[in-house]
Amino acid sequence: MTRRLQLSETGGGVVVVTLDRPQAMNAFDTAMAEEMLTLFGTTLRRRDDIRAVVLTGAGERAFSVGADLKERAGMSNDAWRKQHALYRDTFESLWNFPWPVIAAVRGYALGGGCELALGADFVHAAENAVFGLPEITLGIMPGAGGTQLLPRALGLRRAKELILTGEKFAAREAHDWGLVNALHPPGEELEAAIAVARRIAANAPLAVQGAKRAMDGGIDAPLKVGLALEVSVHQRLSASDDRAEGVRAFNEKRTPEWKFR
């Protein structure tokens, strides 16, 4: 079976995961979902040297256009439900990944591809990128986080219009609305995302994980709950060797040597 994902090591704890079905515009099929579940749920999660991941798509045309409808043609309802359960497990492995994930988007990011970008911690996109959740036009609805993550990124009213019409929206709109962090000339978005990932990876690993956990866990909680989570994580970091090393390095005017403990 052809591998659907490619893993590239860039050094410094940063890896690039590439959806590698350019002939199918990087559409998700069962094999790709299984590979991604293993990668984010087990393989990368267990590596002590990982500090950040960049997620991108192969080729010029698409980041990903979502589920492979050719594979789904003729699927029974039961087979469809089982495949969707796999897809949800796969996306949850991304949502729960302990290290930052940056999506580098070029071309189309539609359906599950848009949901994949939404599931990343943030997005750098080419100026020609196109986003959208067109599932409603096919008699279904977003089912891999779209109805929950798009409102959180854009606001409920704008997300309702986009999801209920199935309309696509351009990278410039995605940037103006807050879904995309930065726009780049096509072909430069990947290196830009890697550069940001390297900046993250240079910071104290426990602090990066802790800050991400506090933000993800507190965003939908009442403010008092979120603040309590922040204090809890902060106190654990205060007792870490890396906190002491960070202060020493600052006072000694040198680059810190993080121990991840």
Side-chain angles (χ1 to χ4, degrees), residues 60-161:
E60 304 294 325
R61 296 188 298 162
F63 173 69
S64 173
V65 293
D68 189 335
L69 297 183
K70 291 183 179 179
E71 183 186 41
R72 283 184 160 181
M75 261 190 187
S76 67
N77 291 341
D78 186 56
W80 185 295
R81 283 192 293 268
K82 287 180 179 178
Q83 188 193 56
H84 184 255
L86 168 63
Y87 284 2
R88 280 302 295 257
D89 288 345
T90 298
F91 277 64
E92 285 191 26
S93 72
L94 178 68
W95 303 335
N96 297 326
F97 193 65
W99 298 106
V101 177
I102 305 166
V105 177
R106 187 192 319 182
Y108 290 105
L110 303 178
C114 184
E115 290 173 309
L116 194 61
L118 285 166
D121 290 289
F122 52 91
V123 179
H124 280 238
E127 294 165 340
N128 70 347
V130 177
F131 298 83
L133 293 170
E135 288 91 337
I136 205 105
T137 66
L138 300 174
I140 52 176
M141 59 175 270
T147 65
Q148 304 304 306
L149 298 176
L150 194 67
R152 284 165 169 78
L154 307 185
L156 181 60
R157 290 181 178 274
R158 192 182 302 279
K160 279 184 176 180
E161 181 176 4

Side-chain angles (χ1 to χ4, degrees), residues 3-64:
R3 290 185 59 82
R4 300 314 203 236
L5 303 175
Q6 297 298 326
L7 188 68
S8 302
E9 309 280 348
T10 72
V14 176
V15 299
V16 177
V17 176
T18 303
L19 311 181
D20 194 18
R21 298 188 72 210
Q23 75 285 357
M25 299 181 76
N26 300 315
F28 264 81
D29 61 1
T30 301
M32 181 182 282
E34 289 174 341
E35 283 189 27
M36 182 168 284
L37 177 58
T38 298
L39 190 64
F40 282 96
T42 306
T43 307
L44 292 180
R45 196 180 185 93
R46 291 179 178 174
R47 281 180 52 176
D48 290 336
D49 61 329
I50 297 295
R51 297 293 180 266
V53 174
V54 175
L55 184 61
T56 192
E60 304 294 325
R61 296 188 298 162
F63 173 69
S64 173

